[in-house]
Amino acid sequence: MKRFMGGVILVATCCMFLFSCNEKPKSYRIVTVMTDGNEAVEKITAKNDTDAALQYVGRLEKMIADAASGAATNDFKAMYIISPDGDTLNTNEDLMTAVLNPEPIEMADIDSIP
């Protein structure tokens, strides 16, 4: 009987470990505030806050590039990413530093540029 209970506990522990490692993507919101005061809300899914912040930065870069090339008008005033917990991720300085990861350029790298 002790072996049976030990086996059951082992199987239960393994199942709990497998289910906890297989996290489902979370739902985040990207809120774009337009110059006329309206807000456009878009839902995205991401594995974690870092992945969501990367998606946010990618969309922001695309919007700025489109506005600079004249392909789109710059009709937004602000853009935010909201986590499922209600936190505004783009105001988290540590997270944004980790996402952008600025690497210093060394002088040897500059000399090798054609």
Side-chain angles (χ1 to χ4, degrees):
M1 185 67 161
K2 288 183 181 182
R3 281 186 142 177
F4 177 73
M5 290 303 289
V8 169
I9 291 172
L10 180 64
V11 169
T13 303
C14 290
C15 288
M16 289 174 40
F17 177 73
L18 288 174
F19 287 122
S20 68
C21 290
N22 190 15
E23 291 185 33
K24 294 182 180 178
K26 298 176 185 177
S27 179
Y28 292 82
R29 293 177 292 146
I30 293 181
V31 179
T32 307
V33 180
M34 304 299 180
T35 53
D36 61 359
N38 291 332
E39 293 182 354
V41 179
E42 182 180 353
K43 291 186 179 184
I44 62 168
T45 56
K47 294 181 224 175
N48 53 33
D49 290 350
T50 305
D51 185 36
L54 282 169
Q55 290 183 35
Y56 164 79
V57 169
R59 289 175 192 231
L60 189 59
E61 286 176 347
K62 184 181 181 302
M63 291 175 78
I64 292 171
D66 287 346
S69 68
T73 58
N74 190 0
D75 61 346
F76 73 97
K77 185 176 12 174
M79 194 165 149
Y80 305 101
I81 184 156
I82 312 295
S83 74
D85 299 329
D87 298 329
T88 306
L89 297 182
N90 57 305
T91 59
N92 184 339
E93 189 173 326
D94 294 334
L95 175 64
M96 295 308 289
T97 301
V99 166
L100 298 175
N101 195 15
E103 295 181 18
I105 298 175
E106 295 183 18
M107 294 306 286
D109 293 340
I110 293 173
D111 294 335
S112 64
I113 298 174

